[in-house]
Amino acid sequence: QVQLVESGGGLAQAGGSLRLSCAGSGGTFSRYVMGWFRQVPGKEREFVAAISWSGDSTLYADSVKGRFTICRDNAKNTMYLQKNRLKAEDTAVYYCAARTGLRLTTRNYNYWGQGTQVTVSS
């Protein structure tokens, strides 16, 4: 089982950039598909992006495609979400997630971090 801890959240200006990090421990990090989700109060958790074991395949929600980039450094047991050209609607709690298996999916993630708040002002 892998433990996940997000960091890098905070306040940013619309049009600006922010990078979130997710540190994994307690498992074989390179054998999990990793993903990012976000959630605002009163709404369901929303898929943002996912990345394959080796990092050579990615999947993005349409709302963030072209602005956000997911990557991972398996040697450091860390996954990242680079967020560029931020919009006010990107404001949410962002969660790191991991799933056993090989396929990139938008659901069925097994392990979750505690979340990190991102607030985008305009």
Side-chain angles (χ1 to χ4, degrees):
Q1 186 176 95
V2 63
Q3 306 296 315
L4 304 172
V5 179
E6 303 95 337
S7 62
L11 181 65
Q13 294 278 353
S17 297
L18 201 64
R19 189 173 80 159
L20 305 183
S21 298
C22 172
S25 62
T28 305
F29 187 78
S30 62
R31 292 298 178 267
Y32 292 94
V33 169
M34 302 297 298
W36 288 99
F37 292 74
R38 64 187 183 186
Q39 189 169 27
V40 299
K43 299 292 185 179
E44 294 183 349
R45 193 166 295 184
E46 176 189 19
F47 171 79
V48 175
I51 188 165
S52 63
W53 291 2
S54 64
D56 59 2
S57 296
T58 57
L59 179 67
Y60 295 95
D62 288 343
S63 59
V64 306
K65 193 171 186 178
R67 299 189 298 118
F68 292 7
T69 303
I70 187 171
C71 63
R72 66 193 296 166
D73 186 342
N74 288 336
K76 297 181 178 179
N77 287 352
T78 304
M79 177 185 65
Y80 306 94
L81 184 67
Q82 179 67 45
K83 304 168 62 176
N84 297 328
R85 309 204 316 274
L86 286 164
K87 303 176 180 180
E89 51 262 44
D90 295 321
T91 295
V93 176
Y94 282 75
Y95 295 90
C96 175
R99 67 180 298 268
T100 56
L102 183 61
R103 293 181 61 85
L104 297 179
T105 67
T106 62
R107 63 175 186 170
N108 294 328
Y109 285 74
N110 308 104
Y111 309 104
W112 297 86
Q114 82 290 343
T116 185
Q117 175 71 48
V118 172
T119 302
V120 182
S121 62
S122 60

